[in-house]
mmCIF file with all atom_site columns, all heavy atoms in Angstrom:
data_model
loop_
_atom_site.group_PDB
_atom_site.id
_atom_site.type_symbol
_atom_site.label_atom_id
_atom_site.label_alt_id
_atom_site.label_comp_id
_atom_site.label_asym_id
_atom_site.label_entity_id
_atom_site.label_seq_id
_atom_site.pdbx_PDB_ins_code
_atom_site.Cartn_x
_atom_site.Cartn_y
_atom_site.Cartn_z
_atom_site.occupancy
_atom_site.B_iso_or_equiv
_atom_site.pdbx_formal_charge
_atom_site.auth_seq_id
_atom_site.auth_comp_id
_atom_site.auth_asym_id
_atom_site.auth_atom_id
_atom_site.pdbx_PDB_model_num
ATOM 1   N N   . THR A 1 2   ? 122.495 -93.156 -54.990 1.00 92.00 ? 2   THR A N   1
ATOM 2   C CA  . THR A 1 2   ? 122.279 -93.745 -53.665 1.00 92.00 ? 2   THR A CA  1
ATOM 3   C C   . THR A 1 2   ? 123.371 -93.301 -52.703 1.00 92.00 ? 2   THR A C   1
ATOM 4   O O   . THR A 1 2   ? 123.093 -92.915 -51.556 1.00 92.00 ? 2   THR A O   1
ATOM 5   C CB  . THR A 1 2   ? 122.247 -95.282 -53.757 1.00 92.00 ? 2   THR A CB  1
ATOM 6   O OG1 . THR A 1 2   ? 121.177 -95.656 -54.621 1.00 92.00 ? 2   THR A OG1 1
ATOM 7   C CG2 . THR A 1 2   ? 122.056 -95.914 -52.395 1.00 92.00 ? 2   THR A CG2 1
ATOM 8   N N   . ILE A 1 9   ? 122.190 -87.709 -45.998 1.00 96.00 ? 9   ILE A N   1
ATOM 9   C CA  . ILE A 1 9   ? 121.598 -88.083 -44.707 1.00 96.00 ? 9   ILE A CA  1
ATOM 10  C C   . ILE A 1 9   ? 122.558 -87.712 -43.574 1.00 96.00 ? 9   ILE A C   1
ATOM 11  O O   . ILE A 1 9   ? 122.148 -87.154 -42.551 1.00 96.00 ? 9   ILE A O   1
ATOM 12  C CB  . ILE A 1 9   ? 121.240 -89.585 -44.679 1.00 96.00 ? 9   ILE A CB  1
ATOM 13  C CG1 . ILE A 1 9   ? 120.054 -89.846 -45.604 1.00 96.00 ? 9   ILE A CG1 1
ATOM 14  C CG2 . ILE A 1 9   ? 120.937 -90.048 -43.251 1.00 96.00 ? 9   ILE A CG2 1
ATOM 15  C CD1 . ILE A 1 9   ? 119.768 -91.319 -45.850 1.00 96.00 ? 9   ILE A CD1 1
ATOM 16  N N   . ALA A 1 19  ? 130.090 -86.144 -44.193 1.00 96.00 ? 19  ALA A N   1
ATOM 17  C CA  . ALA A 1 19  ? 129.355 -85.920 -45.442 1.00 96.00 ? 19  ALA A CA  1
ATOM 18  C C   . ALA A 1 19  ? 130.278 -85.315 -46.493 1.00 96.00 ? 19  ALA A C   1
ATOM 19  O O   . ALA A 1 19  ? 130.295 -85.756 -47.649 1.00 96.00 ? 19  ALA A O   1
ATOM 20  C CB  . ALA A 1 19  ? 128.159 -85.004 -45.196 1.00 96.00 ? 19  ALA A CB  1
ATOM 21  N N   . ARG A 1 20  ? 131.059 -84.338 -46.085 1.00 96.00 ? 20  ARG A N   1
ATOM 22  C CA  . ARG A 1 20  ? 132.008 -83.686 -47.004 1.00 96.00 ? 20  ARG A CA  1
ATOM 23  C C   . ARG A 1 20  ? 133.025 -84.701 -47.523 1.00 96.00 ? 20  ARG A C   1
ATOM 24  O O   . ARG A 1 20  ? 133.335 -84.726 -48.713 1.00 96.00 ? 20  ARG A O   1
ATOM 25  C CB  . ARG A 1 20  ? 132.689 -82.531 -46.260 1.00 96.00 ? 20  ARG A CB  1
ATOM 26  C CG  . ARG A 1 20  ? 133.442 -81.579 -47.116 1.00 96.00 ? 20  ARG A CG  1
ATOM 27  C CD  . ARG A 1 20  ? 133.901 -80.311 -46.382 1.00 96.00 ? 20  ARG A CD  1
ATOM 28  N NE  . ARG A 1 20  ? 134.364 -80.512 -45.027 1.00 96.00 ? 20  ARG A NE  1
ATOM 29  C CZ  . ARG A 1 20  ? 133.792 -79.963 -43.943 1.00 96.00 ? 20  ARG A CZ  1
ATOM 30  N NH1 . ARG A 1 20  ? 132.736 -79.194 -44.054 1.00 96.00 ? 20  ARG A NH1 1
ATOM 31  N NH2 . ARG A 1 20  ? 134.282 -80.183 -42.746 1.00 96.00 ? 20  ARG A NH2 1
ATOM 32  N N   . ARG A 1 22  ? 132.678 -88.008 -47.790 1.00 96.00 ? 22  ARG A N   1
ATOM 33  C CA  . ARG A 1 22  ? 132.032 -88.960 -48.700 1.00 96.00 ? 22  ARG A CA  1
ATOM 34  C C   . ARG A 1 22  ? 131.678 -88.317 -50.036 1.00 96.00 ? 22  ARG A C   1
ATOM 35  O O   . ARG A 1 22  ? 131.886 -88.913 -51.096 1.00 96.00 ? 22  ARG A O   1
ATOM 36  C CB  . ARG A 1 22  ? 130.788 -89.561 -48.056 1.00 96.00 ? 22  ARG A CB  1
ATOM 37  C CG  . ARG A 1 22  ? 131.132 -90.524 -46.940 1.00 96.00 ? 22  ARG A CG  1
ATOM 38  C CD  . ARG A 1 22  ? 129.914 -91.238 -46.454 1.00 96.00 ? 22  ARG A CD  1
ATOM 39  N NE  . ARG A 1 22  ? 130.226 -92.027 -45.270 1.00 96.00 ? 22  ARG A NE  1
ATOM 40  C CZ  . ARG A 1 22  ? 129.431 -92.959 -44.804 1.00 96.00 ? 22  ARG A CZ  1
ATOM 41  N NH1 . ARG A 1 22  ? 128.283 -93.231 -45.412 1.00 96.00 ? 22  ARG A NH1 1
ATOM 42  N NH2 . ARG A 1 22  ? 129.764 -93.630 -43.722 1.00 96.00 ? 22  ARG A NH2 1
ATOM 43  N N   . ILE A 1 26  ? 133.110 -89.277 -53.822 1.00 95.00 ? 26  ILE A N   1
ATOM 44  C CA  . ILE A 1 26  ? 132.257 -89.524 -54.988 1.00 95.00 ? 26  ILE A CA  1
ATOM 45  C C   . ILE A 1 26  ? 132.628 -88.560 -56.108 1.00 95.00 ? 26  ILE A C   1
ATOM 46  O O   . ILE A 1 26  ? 132.713 -88.953 -57.275 1.00 95.00 ? 26  ILE A O   1
ATOM 47  C CB  . ILE A 1 26  ? 130.758 -89.407 -54.618 1.00 95.00 ? 26  ILE A CB  1
ATOM 48  C CG1 . ILE A 1 26  ? 130.388 -90.442 -53.560 1.00 95.00 ? 26  ILE A CG1 1
ATOM 49  C CG2 . ILE A 1 26  ? 129.886 -89.578 -55.863 1.00 95.00 ? 26  ILE A CG2 1
ATOM 50  C CD1 . ILE A 1 26  ? 129.029 -90.192 -52.910 1.00 95.00 ? 26  ILE A CD1 1
ATOM 51  N N   . GLY A 1 34  ? 131.244 -87.050 -65.111 1.00 87.00 ? 34  GLY A N   1
ATOM 52  C CA  . GLY A 1 34  ? 130.025 -87.761 -64.758 1.00 87.00 ? 34  GLY A CA  1
ATOM 53  C C   . GLY A 1 34  ? 128.793 -87.137 -65.386 1.00 87.00 ? 34  GLY A C   1
ATOM 54  O O   . GLY A 1 34  ? 128.852 -86.062 -65.991 1.00 87.00 ? 34  GLY A O   1
ATOM 55  N N   . SER A 1 36  ? 125.600 -85.018 -65.885 1.00 90.00 ? 36  SER A N   1
ATOM 56  C CA  . SER A 1 36  ? 125.344 -83.670 -65.384 1.00 90.00 ? 36  SER A CA  1
ATOM 57  C C   . SER A 1 36  ? 124.395 -83.691 -64.180 1.00 90.00 ? 36  SER A C   1
ATOM 58  O O   . SER A 1 36  ? 124.585 -82.925 -63.242 1.00 90.00 ? 36  SER A O   1
ATOM 59  C CB  . SER A 1 36  ? 124.814 -82.770 -66.495 1.00 90.00 ? 36  SER A CB  1
ATOM 60  O OG  . SER A 1 36  ? 123.689 -83.345 -67.112 1.00 90.00 ? 36  SER A OG  1
ATOM 61  N N   . LEU A 1 61  ? 128.489 -72.855 -57.668 1.00 97.00 ? 61  LEU A N   1
ATOM 62  C CA  . LEU A 1 61  ? 128.762 -72.508 -59.072 1.00 97.00 ? 61  LEU A CA  1
ATOM 63  C C   . LEU A 1 61  ? 129.012 -73.771 -59.899 1.00 97.00 ? 61  LEU A C   1
ATOM 64  O O   . LEU A 1 61  ? 128.597 -73.855 -61.061 1.00 97.00 ? 61  LEU A O   1
ATOM 65  C CB  . LEU A 1 61  ? 129.942 -71.538 -59.168 1.00 97.00 ? 61  LEU A CB  1
ATOM 66  C CG  . LEU A 1 61  ? 129.649 -70.118 -58.683 1.00 97.00 ? 61  LEU A CG  1
ATOM 67  C CD1 . LEU A 1 61  ? 130.941 -69.306 -58.580 1.00 97.00 ? 61  LEU A CD1 1
ATOM 68  C CD2 . LEU A 1 61  ? 128.641 -69.426 -59.602 1.00 97.00 ? 61  LEU A CD2 1
ATOM 69  N N   . ALA A 1 65  ? 126.871 -74.927 -63.128 1.00 94.00 ? 65  ALA A N   1
ATOM 70  C CA  . ALA A 1 65  ? 127.549 -75.275 -64.384 1.00 94.00 ? 65  ALA A CA  1
ATOM 71  C C   . ALA A 1 65  ? 127.139 -76.676 -64.847 1.00 94.00 ? 65  ALA A C   1
ATOM 72  O O   . ALA A 1 65  ? 126.920 -76.899 -66.047 1.00 94.00 ? 65  ALA A O   1
ATOM 73  C CB  . ALA A 1 65  ? 129.066 -75.199 -64.205 1.00 94.00 ? 65  ALA A CB  1
ATOM 74  N N   . ASP A 1 68  ? 123.700 -76.491 -66.294 1.00 89.00 ? 68  ASP A N   1
ATOM 75  C CA  . ASP A 1 68  ? 123.718 -75.838 -67.600 1.00 89.00 ? 68  ASP A CA  1
ATOM 76  C C   . ASP A 1 68  ? 124.395 -76.670 -68.676 1.00 89.00 ? 68  ASP A C   1
ATOM 77  O O   . ASP A 1 68  ? 124.289 -76.359 -69.855 1.00 89.00 ? 68  ASP A O   1
ATOM 78  C CB  . ASP A 1 68  ? 124.442 -74.490 -67.506 1.00 89.00 ? 68  ASP A CB  1
ATOM 79  C CG  . ASP A 1 68  ? 123.631 -73.432 -66.780 1.00 89.00 ? 68  ASP A CG  1
ATOM 80  O OD1 . ASP A 1 68  ? 122.389 -73.593 -66.667 1.00 89.00 ? 68  ASP A OD1 1
ATOM 81  O OD2 . ASP A 1 68  ? 124.230 -72.440 -66.325 1.00 89.00 ? 68  ASP A OD2 1
ATOM 82  N N   . PRO A 1 70  ? 125.256 -79.608 -71.316 1.00 71.00 ? 70  PRO A N   1
ATOM 83  C CA  . PRO A 1 70  ? 124.382 -80.396 -72.189 1.00 71.00 ? 70  PRO A CA  1
ATOM 84  C C   . PRO A 1 70  ? 123.997 -81.698 -71.500 1.00 71.00 ? 70  PRO A C   1
ATOM 85  O O   . PRO A 1 70  ? 124.813 -82.317 -70.827 1.00 71.00 ? 70  PRO A O   1
ATOM 86  C CB  . PRO A 1 70  ? 125.245 -80.682 -73.419 1.00 71.00 ? 70  PRO A CB  1
ATOM 87  C CG  . PRO A 1 70  ? 126.341 -79.672 -73.380 1.00 71.00 ? 70  PRO A CG  1
ATOM 88  C CD  . PRO A 1 70  ? 126.533 -79.305 -71.926 1.00 71.00 ? 70  PRO A CD  1
ATOM 89  N N   . ALA A 1 75  ? 126.221 -92.127 -74.868 1.00 40.00 ? 75  ALA A N   1
ATOM 90  C CA  . ALA A 1 75  ? 125.330 -93.286 -74.887 1.00 40.00 ? 75  ALA A CA  1
ATOM 91  C C   . ALA A 1 75  ? 126.134 -94.539 -74.583 1.00 40.00 ? 75  ALA A C   1
ATOM 92  O O   . ALA A 1 75  ? 127.361 -94.502 -74.515 1.00 40.00 ? 75  ALA A O   1
ATOM 93  C CB  . ALA A 1 75  ? 124.669 -93.372 -76.250 1.00 40.00 ? 75  ALA A CB  1
ATOM 94  N N   . PRO A 1 76  ? 125.450 -95.670 -74.410 1.00 41.00 ? 76  PRO A N   1
ATOM 95  C CA  . PRO A 1 76  ? 126.175 -96.916 -74.157 1.00 41.00 ? 76  PRO A CA  1
ATOM 96  C C   . PRO A 1 76  ? 127.245 -97.140 -75.208 1.00 41.00 ? 76  PRO A C   1
ATOM 97  O O   . PRO A 1 76  ? 127.037 -96.885 -76.387 1.00 41.00 ? 76  PRO A O   1
ATOM 98  C CB  . PRO A 1 76  ? 125.076 -97.987 -74.246 1.00 41.00 ? 76  PRO A CB  1
ATOM 99  C CG  . PRO A 1 76  ? 123.805 -97.250 -73.946 1.00 41.00 ? 76  PRO A CG  1
ATOM 100 C CD  . PRO A 1 76  ? 124.014 -95.848 -74.464 1.00 41.00 ? 76  PRO A CD  1
ATOM 101 N N   . ALA A 1 92  ? 114.318 -83.080 -64.027 1.00 66.00 ? 92  ALA A N   1
ATOM 102 C CA  . ALA A 1 92  ? 114.931 -82.952 -62.703 1.00 66.00 ? 92  ALA A CA  1
ATOM 103 C C   . ALA A 1 92  ? 115.824 -81.717 -62.656 1.00 66.00 ? 92  ALA A C   1
ATOM 104 O O   . ALA A 1 92  ? 115.861 -81.009 -61.653 1.00 66.00 ? 92  ALA A O   1
ATOM 105 C CB  . ALA A 1 92  ? 115.719 -84.202 -62.355 1.00 66.00 ? 92  ALA A CB  1
ATOM 106 N N   . ARG A 1 123 ? 116.614 -64.695 -60.734 1.00 96.00 ? 123 ARG A N   1
ATOM 107 C CA  . ARG A 1 123 ? 116.658 -65.915 -61.545 1.00 96.00 ? 123 ARG A CA  1
ATOM 108 C C   . ARG A 1 123 ? 115.938 -67.064 -60.844 1.00 96.00 ? 123 ARG A C   1
ATOM 109 O O   . ARG A 1 123 ? 115.257 -67.860 -61.489 1.00 96.00 ? 123 ARG A O   1
ATOM 110 C CB  . ARG A 1 123 ? 118.103 -66.294 -61.849 1.00 96.00 ? 123 ARG A CB  1
ATOM 111 C CG  . ARG A 1 123 ? 118.761 -65.325 -62.810 1.00 96.00 ? 123 ARG A CG  1
ATOM 112 C CD  . ARG A 1 123 ? 120.215 -65.641 -63.037 1.00 96.00 ? 123 ARG A CD  1
ATOM 113 N NE  . ARG A 1 123 ? 120.813 -64.642 -63.908 1.00 96.00 ? 123 ARG A NE  1
ATOM 114 C CZ  . ARG A 1 123 ? 122.103 -64.491 -64.095 1.00 96.00 ? 123 ARG A CZ  1
ATOM 115 N NH1 . ARG A 1 123 ? 122.962 -65.302 -63.483 1.00 96.00 ? 123 ARG A NH1 1
ATOM 116 N NH2 . ARG A 1 123 ? 122.559 -63.556 -64.900 1.00 96.00 ? 123 ARG A NH2 1
ATOM 117 N N   . GLY A 1 146 ? 111.684 -65.073 -48.386 1.00 96.00 ? 146 GLY A N   1
ATOM 118 C CA  . GLY A 1 146 ? 112.355 -64.693 -47.146 1.00 96.00 ? 146 GLY A CA  1
ATOM 119 C C   . GLY A 1 146 ? 113.678 -63.988 -47.386 1.00 96.00 ? 146 GLY A C   1
ATOM 120 O O   . GLY A 1 146 ? 113.992 -62.985 -46.735 1.00 96.00 ? 146 GLY A O   1
ATOM 121 N N   . GLU A 1 148 ? 114.477 -62.406 -50.135 1.00 94.00 ? 148 GLU A N   1
ATOM 122 C CA  . GLU A 1 148 ? 114.137 -61.104 -50.729 1.00 94.00 ? 148 GLU A CA  1
ATOM 123 C C   . GLU A 1 148 ? 113.793 -60.099 -49.640 1.00 94.00 ? 148 GLU A C   1
ATOM 124 O O   . GLU A 1 148 ? 114.277 -58.953 -49.669 1.00 94.00 ? 148 GLU A O   1
ATOM 125 C CB  . GLU A 1 148 ? 112.954 -61.249 -51.692 1.00 94.00 ? 148 GLU A CB  1
ATOM 126 C CG  . GLU A 1 148 ? 113.301 -61.892 -53.002 1.00 94.00 ? 148 GLU A CG  1
ATOM 127 C CD  . GLU A 1 148 ? 112.087 -62.151 -53.878 1.00 94.00 ? 148 GLU A CD  1
ATOM 128 O OE1 . GLU A 1 148 ? 110.969 -62.344 -53.347 1.00 94.00 ? 148 GLU A OE1 1
ATOM 129 O OE2 . GLU A 1 148 ? 112.271 -62.173 -55.097 1.00 94.00 ? 148 GLU A OE2 1
ATOM 130 N N   . ARG A 1 150 ? 114.750 -60.122 -46.566 1.00 92.00 ? 150 ARG A N   1
ATOM 131 C CA  . ARG A 1 150 ? 115.976 -59.808 -45.831 1.00 92.00 ? 150 ARG A CA  1
ATOM 132 C C   . ARG A 1 150 ? 116.803 -58.768 -46.577 1.00 92.00 ? 150 ARG A C   1
ATOM 133 O O   . ARG A 1 150 ? 117.290 -57.813 -45.975 1.00 92.00 ? 150 ARG A O   1
ATOM 134 C CB  . ARG A 1 150 ? 116.788 -61.079 -45.618 1.00 92.00 ? 150 ARG A CB  1
ATOM 135 C CG  . ARG A 1 150 ? 118.093 -60.846 -44.908 1.00 92.00 ? 150 ARG A CG  1
ATOM 136 C CD  . ARG A 1 150 ? 118.836 -62.131 -44.662 1.00 92.00 ? 150 ARG A CD  1
ATOM 137 N NE  . ARG A 1 150 ? 120.195 -61.843 -44.251 1.00 92.00 ? 150 ARG A NE  1
ATOM 138 C CZ  . ARG A 1 150 ? 121.146 -62.741 -44.204 1.00 92.00 ? 150 ARG A CZ  1
ATOM 139 N NH1 . ARG A 1 150 ? 120.902 -63.995 -44.513 1.00 92.00 ? 150 ARG A NH1 1
ATOM 140 N NH2 . ARG A 1 150 ? 122.360 -62.400 -43.833 1.00 92.00 ? 150 ARG A NH2 1
ATOM 141 N N   . GLU A 1 154 ? 117.540 -54.939 -45.377 1.00 76.00 ? 154 GLU A N   1
ATOM 142 C CA  . GLU A 1 154 ? 118.908 -54.434 -45.246 1.00 76.00 ? 154 GLU A CA  1
ATOM 143 C C   . GLU A 1 154 ? 119.110 -53.146 -46.022 1.00 76.00 ? 154 GLU A C   1
ATOM 144 O O   . GLU A 1 154 ? 119.991 -52.364 -45.710 1.00 76.00 ? 154 GLU A O   1
ATOM 145 C CB  . GLU A 1 154 ? 119.909 -55.502 -45.697 1.00 76.00 ? 154 GLU A CB  1
ATOM 146 C CG  . GLU A 1 154 ? 120.007 -56.653 -44.713 1.00 76.00 ? 154 GLU A CG  1
ATOM 147 C CD  . GLU A 1 154 ? 120.905 -57.783 -45.171 1.00 76.00 ? 154 GLU A CD  1
ATOM 148 O OE1 . GLU A 1 154 ? 121.521 -57.672 -46.252 1.00 76.00 ? 154 GLU A OE1 1
ATOM 149 O OE2 . GLU A 1 154 ? 120.986 -58.790 -44.448 1.00 76.00 ? 154 GLU A OE2 1
ATOM 150 N N   . GLU A 1 166 ? 104.118 -68.518 -61.917 1.00 65.00 ? 166 GLU A N   1
ATOM 151 C CA  . GLU A 1 166 ? 102.995 -69.420 -62.131 1.00 65.00 ? 166 GLU A CA  1
ATOM 152 C C   . GLU A 1 166 ? 101.712 -68.924 -61.446 1.00 65.00 ? 166 GLU A C   1
ATOM 153 O O   . GLU A 1 166 ? 100.633 -69.439 -61.697 1.00 65.00 ? 166 GLU A O   1
ATOM 154 C CB  . GLU A 1 166 ? 103.348 -70.849 -61.670 1.00 65.00 ? 166 GLU A CB  1
ATOM 155 C CG  . GLU A 1 166 ? 103.552 -70.985 -60.183 1.00 65.00 ? 166 GLU A CG  1
ATOM 156 C CD  . GLU A 1 166 ? 104.975 -70.728 -59.731 1.00 65.00 ? 166 GLU A CD  1
ATOM 157 O OE1 . GLU A 1 166 ? 105.786 -70.157 -60.495 1.00 65.00 ? 166 GLU A OE1 1
ATOM 158 O OE2 . GLU A 1 166 ? 105.300 -71.092 -58.599 1.00 65.00 ? 166 GLU A OE2 1
#
Side-chain angles (χ1 to χ4, degrees):
T2 300
I9 290 170
R20 193 170 39 242
R22 289 188 187 195
I26 299 167
S36 54
L61 288 170
D68 287 341
R123 290 176 183 167
E148 285 174 332
R150 178 177 168 193
E154 288 176 3
E166 67 271 16

